[in-house]
Amino acid sequence: MIRVLGTGAADGWPNPFCACASCESARAARTIRAQTCALAGTFLLDCGPETARTAERAGVALHGVRHVLLTHDHPDHTAPAFLLYRSWVAGDAPLDVVGPPSVIASARQWLAPDTHVVFHEARPGDELTFTDGTVRVLEAAHDGDAVLYDLSTEDTRLLYATDTGPLPEATMAATTDAAYDVVLLEQTFGDFTSHGTAHLDLTTFTEQVRRLRDVGAIVASTDLIAVHLSHHNPPAAELARRLATIGARMVDDGTPLGRGPVRTLCIGGARSGKSREAERLLAAEPDVTYVATSYPRSDDPEWVERVRLHQSQRPAQWTTVESLDLVGLLAHDGGPLLIDCLTLWLTRIMDRHDGWSDEAWADGGEAAVLAEVTALVEAWRATSRRVVAVTNEIGQGLVPQRASLRRFRDEMGRLNAAIAAASDEVRLVVAGRVSLL
C-alpha cells in the first residue's frame, strides 16, 4: 500500500502566518497539509521535520521502514535528525538511506561511523535493488543537488516527482512505457504562473501530465495525485475540480491510495457546458478517440455548423470516429474514449428499431431497444479503458404531448440512471457549473 503522509509545500497549507482566502478556507475546513512525503511498504519517500508527527496523526507507525529515499537537502524534505531519534529505539535494525551526495553528507553527521545505517549516494541514472523493491534515480529540474524516484515494489510502481519544474528529457525517456500505478507529481503554484521557480503550476502541471501520458508513463489506470500544494492554489474545492478535469486528484494527508476513476458520466441540459467539461477531463490525454454518435450527414445547415464547431474545438491529436458501436469500442483495449453523446445514440437506436411507432414498439421494438441498452451498460461496466460519456438530462421539462416523445424521455432517463450506477463518477453540469454526484 502507498500512503501519502503529507501533501503540502515547504510552509504547508495553510501557511500559519497567512490570512489569504486560500489559507482561511483551509482553516475553516480544518484541513491542514504538512510537508510532502509518502510511505510505500518499507520505503519512506522524503522525511522532513513534520513527517514523524504526520505519520502518528494518520495512525501509521514508521518502525517498519527499511529504506528512506531523500530527494534533496532542502529542510522540508530532509530533516536528518530522524536518524538520531530512530537510533535511540531501533538498535541494530538495518536502514538504507538513499539521496544525492549533499543529502548523504548532511545525514552522516547524525550517526557514528560504525552505524547500522547504510548510505547510498544517488545520481540520475542509478538503479538500486533491495530485497523488497527496486529504486531508479531520475533527474529533477530543481535548484541544487536534487533527484526524483521511480520505485517498484512487489505490487506497485510509483513515480515520486517532487520538487521539480518541467521534467528533463532524460526523465521523460526513463519513464517511457512505465505505466505507473501511482504518480505523485508536484503542483505548487496554482494560477500563479510568474513565480519563476523550479516548480510546477496548474498550467505547467497540465503540460507535464500530457507529456507523461504521451510516453506511456501515465495510463488509464494510473492514480495521479497532485502534491506539494501551497496557498497559491485556489481553495481546495475549486482546486479539486480543476485537477479532475485533467484526470488528477488531491487527497488529504494520511490517505491510502487506490485506483482513480475509469468511467465518468457528464450530464446536463442543452448548452450547459457538459461537452466542454468532458473534453477538459481528457485534455491532458495524447490519444483520445472522440466517438461521435450524431448522424454523419445532414441537409440542415444549422446542424452542419454545430458539427463543424464541435470538430474545430477538439485537440488536433485526437481521433474522431463516427459510430454507434459503443459496445465494440468499450470492449477493446486502447486509449481513452470520449462519447458524445448518449442521447443521440439512443435516438438512432430508436430509429433502428422503429421505436417511435406504437405498433412497432409493442411488436418487438421495446425488447430490441432494451437489449441494446443492456449490452451498452454491461460493456460500460466491464471496460478497462478510460471513458467519458456525455448525456442530456431531459426529464426536468414539460411532459411531451406525443406518446413517442414521452417514450423516448422515459427510455433516456432509464439509460442515464443505468450508466450512472455503473460509473466511477457522475458530473452534473448546470449553467457551466459542475457538481460531483
Side-chain angles (χ1 to χ4, degrees):
M1 173 189 290
I2 296 174
R3 190 181 289 265
V4 182
L5 297 179
T7 57
D11 53 348
W13 186 15
N15 179 305
F17 302 100
C18 182
C20 73
S22 183
C23 285
E24 289 299 323
S25 176
R27 288 192 187 97
R30 302 187 65 82
T31 302
I32 311 302
R33 298 180 185 276
Q35 296 143 356
T36 292
C37 54
L39 183 65
T42 61
F43 291 84
L44 180 63
L45 295 110
D46 277 340
C47 190
E50 298 183 44
T51 296
R53 293 300 149 210
T54 299
E56 293 291 350
R57 284 190 288 272
V60 177
L62 298 180
H63 58 76
V65 171
R66 293 294 176 264
H67 320 280
V68 180
L69 311 182
L70 302 171
T71 55
H72 58 298
D73 62 0
H74 287 182
D76 55 318
H77 292 267
T78 299
F82 80 88
L83 292 168
L84 182 61
Y85 307 151
R86 182 183 183 275
S87 71
W88 294 343
V89 298
D92 293 330
L95 182 72
D96 294 292
V97 176
V98 179
S102 60
V103 170
I104 299 303
S106 175
R108 285 185 188 276
Q109 303 175 44
W110 291 86
L111 294 172
D114 59 348
T115 178
H116 56 277
V117 173
V118 178
F119 293 100
H120 305 265
E121 291 191 355
R123 296 174 176 82
D126 290 351
E127 182 172 315
L128 297 86
T129 301
F130 302 104
T131 303
D132 38 6
T134 300
V135 177
R136 299 169 185 83
V137 185
L138 307 178
E139 182 181 350
H142 196 61
D143 302 331
D145 204 10
V147 298
L148 312 177
Y149 291 109
D150 175 343
L151 170 63
S152 297
T153 63
E154 182 180 359
D155 57 359
T156 302
R157 189 170 182 185
L158 163 71
L159 174 63
Y160 185 74
T162 181
D163 299 10
T164 184
L167 297 171
E169 289 303 323
T171 297
M172 298 305 303
T175 60
T176 297
D177 295 326
Y180 292 105
D181 298 294
V182 174
V183 170
L184 303 181
L185 181 62
E186 81 132 80
Q187 194 288 104
T188 306
F189 280 101
D191 289 320
F192 177 44
T193 58
S194 59
H195 48 87
T197 70
H199 287 285
L200 300 179
D201 49 59
L202 278 167
T203 298
T204 51
F205 179 90
T206 300
E207 174 62 13
Q208 299 320 298
V209 172
R210 186 198 64 76
R211 293 175 67 206
L212 288 166
R213 286 199 171 109
D214 202 31
V215 300
I218 294 177
V219 295
S221 59
T222 302
D223 196 1
L224 172 59
I225 310 295
V227 293
H228 209 266
L229 304 170
S230 80
H231 68 144
H232 292 287
N233 282 286
E238 174 62 12
L239 177 59
R241 189 191 73 80
R242 297 274 297 279
L243 290 171
T245 63
I246 55 174
R249 62 187 184 121
M250 57 190 295
V251 298
D252 291 339
D253 288 8
T255 299
L257 299 185
R259 191 182 189 193
V262 172
R263 296 160 292 265
T264 299
L265 179 66
C266 292
I267 184 170
R271 295 298 194 217
S272 62
K274 58 188 182 299
S275 292
R276 179 63 59 85
E277 177 68 9
E279 291 169 4
R280 284 174 180 155
L281 289 174
L282 299 177
E285 299 280 0
D287 59 342
V288 174
T289 298
Y290 185 102
V291 185
T293 60
S294 64
Y295 291 90
R297 292 176 297 276
S298 174
D299 295 328
D300 182 346
E302 190 270 341
W303 182 254
V304 170
E305 179 61 13
R306 279 181 179 238
V307 172
R308 189 196 67 78
L309 285 173
H310 266 288
Q311 292 173 340
S312 67
Q313 292 167 358
R314 297 170 203 157
Q317 69 270 21
W318 287 12
T319 301
T320 298
V321 173
E322 296 178 348
S323 178
L324 289 186
D325 185 20
L326 303 186
V327 172
L329 289 165
L330 291 166
H332 285 84
D333 293 333
L337 298 176
L338 195 163
I339 300 170
D340 195 354
C341 68
L342 295 182
T343 308
L344 288 170
W345 178 85
L346 182 61
T347 300
R348 296 182 66 186
I349 295 301
M350 293 279 285
D351 286 346
R352 176 183 287 175
H353 300 290
D354 198 15
W356 311 101
S357 162
D358 294 344
E359 294 77 10
W361 186 253
D363 189 23
E366 179 179 11
V369 170
L370 177 60
E372 298 222 37
V373 167
T374 300
L376 173 59
V377 173
E378 290 306 311
W380 177 269
R381 191 192 314 277
T383 190
S384 60
R385 300 179 76 163
R386 175 70 172 113
V387 58
V388 179
V390 177
T391 193
N392 284 269
E393 174 52 74
I394 63 172
Q396 296 179 330
L398 298 175
V399 177
Q401 291 185 344
R402 292 170 54 187
S404 60
L405 296 180
R406 293 194 298 271
R407 181 180 308 129
F408 178 77
R409 178 202 60 180
D410 293 347
E411 293 303 315
M412 192 72 249
R414 294 187 184 102
L415 173 59
N416 286 342
I419 291 291
S423 296
D424 299 295
E425 64 175 8
V426 177
R427 292 170 173 263
L428 174 63
V429 187
V430 179
R433 303 298 295 269
V434 181
S435 297
L436 294 177
L437 304 181

